[in-house]
Amino acid sequence: MKTENPLKILDVSGPFREPREPVFSYDYAVQRVNWPLPYAARVKVSIADELEVVRSKVLGPVSGTPGQQLLIAKLLSRKIADEKLRIAQEEGLVGERQDTLVPPFTGPYQHLFPKLESWVSRESASLRAEVKSQAGV
């Protein structure tokens, strides 16, 4: 679902570790031109089902120091969250003027995971280069 009134990201904070879920989450302040105020969108990235899958597709069996692994997780989870917000917008999940939650693309939302995989395939070279420049791996 394409929109003529695109979503504008005003601010992003995170990653946050959810206390009872194996996910990282990012909080976005989003606004459209016709919305009087910005609204919140929380995007959850499953560590095992999304982050690790993307990490293995982009980097393969890469090791590094704990600090490098932390940088890689932070960088990739943010990239995944940004893409998931874009996919959610395309799918009409961020269409209303209300706070929104974009859950992991598992379970009832697993039909959206192929779109994330397609993005990983297209962007793996640039993601790999960014990880190498930021984390040195």
Side-chain angles (χ1 to χ4, degrees), residues 83 112-124:
E83 183 61 16
L112 297 175
F113 191 75
K115 291 184 178 203
L116 190 63
E117 282 184 311
S118 173
W119 167 78
V120 170
S121 296
R122 286 190 315 272
E123 299 295 323
S124 62

Side-chain angles (χ1 to χ4, degrees), residues 36-65:
L37 297 170
Y39 288 85
R42 174 166 281 182
V43 179
K44 292 184 176 183
V45 177
S46 170
I47 295 170
D49 299 319
E50 293 172 324
L51 177 59
E52 290 303 321
V53 170
V54 170
R55 182 192 320 230
S56 68
K57 287 181 185 256
V58 170
L59 301 174
V62 171
S63 62
T65 67

